[in-house]
Amino acid sequence: MRRRTIAIAALLLAAATLVGAEQAIQVTPLVRDGHVYVSFELSDAFENEEIRAAIQSGLRITFVYDVDLRRSAAAWVDRTIDSATVSAGVQYDNLARRYHVTLHTDGRLEDSKTLDREEQARRWVTEFDRLNLFRSDRLEQHSEYYVRVRARTTPRNTAFVWPWQGTDVAGLA
């Protein structure tokens, strides 16, 4: 019995360590006026030379964020209350030397712009402030909830070595 308890404690410690290591996305949820607003930022996405080179070559790169509103459960698996997909794409026009960026939420085009500087394009695809993604009427009082954001890039081309694999990076709050 004691060995089993030690093994479970070790598994929980390992899982907590993995979750801490995945925190490449800073997430801040806010519940107000019947909505759950989510702010998040993917750090160091443009620090990877392969991604920057792919963008500078004119290849359209899309950062896809899967956002889940989850309820903590006493049992092993937490329950997903609602989900949304946010995708932000960037494509560099080598002739005009401009970045074309788009923002989609659950497949709907939310915004599109043409930007002059790489720093502006980086912020467009990696920093999001108070996105209205969920309604709070599905939340029960006196219960614990959290928002999990997972990110990945598309396309996945073997010619480029992406900095992440599978469900690339994640953050929760």
Side-chain angles (χ1 to χ4, degrees), residues 136-155:
S136 65
D137 57 359
R138 298 182 66 189
L139 305 180
E140 297 175 17
Q141 290 185 359
H142 309 296
S143 295
E144 289 188 25
Y145 296 90
Y146 64 95
V147 174
R148 178 180 67 183
V149 179
R150 294 173 296 163
R152 64 185 184 281
T153 55
T154 62

Side-chain angles (χ1 to χ4, degrees), residues 53-120:
I55 292 170
Q56 293 300 318
S57 75
L59 180 65
R60 177 170 189 73
I61 302 296
T62 303
F63 292 80
V64 180
Y65 301 92
D66 298 313
V67 185
D68 297 323
L69 176 63
R70 301 184 62 132
R71 181 177 179 180
S72 297
W76 188 256
V77 179
D78 292 349
R79 190 175 74 158
T80 301
I81 305 300
D82 207 350
S83 296
T85 301
V86 176
S87 60
V90 58
Q91 184 171 21
Y92 183 65
D93 183 342
N94 288 312
L95 296 174
R97 296 182 186 259
R98 296 180 135 192
Y99 297 86
H100 302 285
V101 293
T102 57
L103 176 65
H104 291 82
T105 303
D106 289 331
R108 293 182 316 273
L109 178 66
E110 299 289 338
D111 201 357
S112 177
K113 287 185 180 181
T114 301
L115 305 170
D116 294 324
R117 295 187 316 215
E118 181 181 283
E119 179 62 25
Q120 293 171 319

Side-chain angles (χ1 to χ4, degrees), residues 157-169:
N157 187 338
T158 56
F160 298 105
V161 180
W162 299 113
W164 316 293
Q165 300 295 324
T167 303
D168 306 322
V169 294

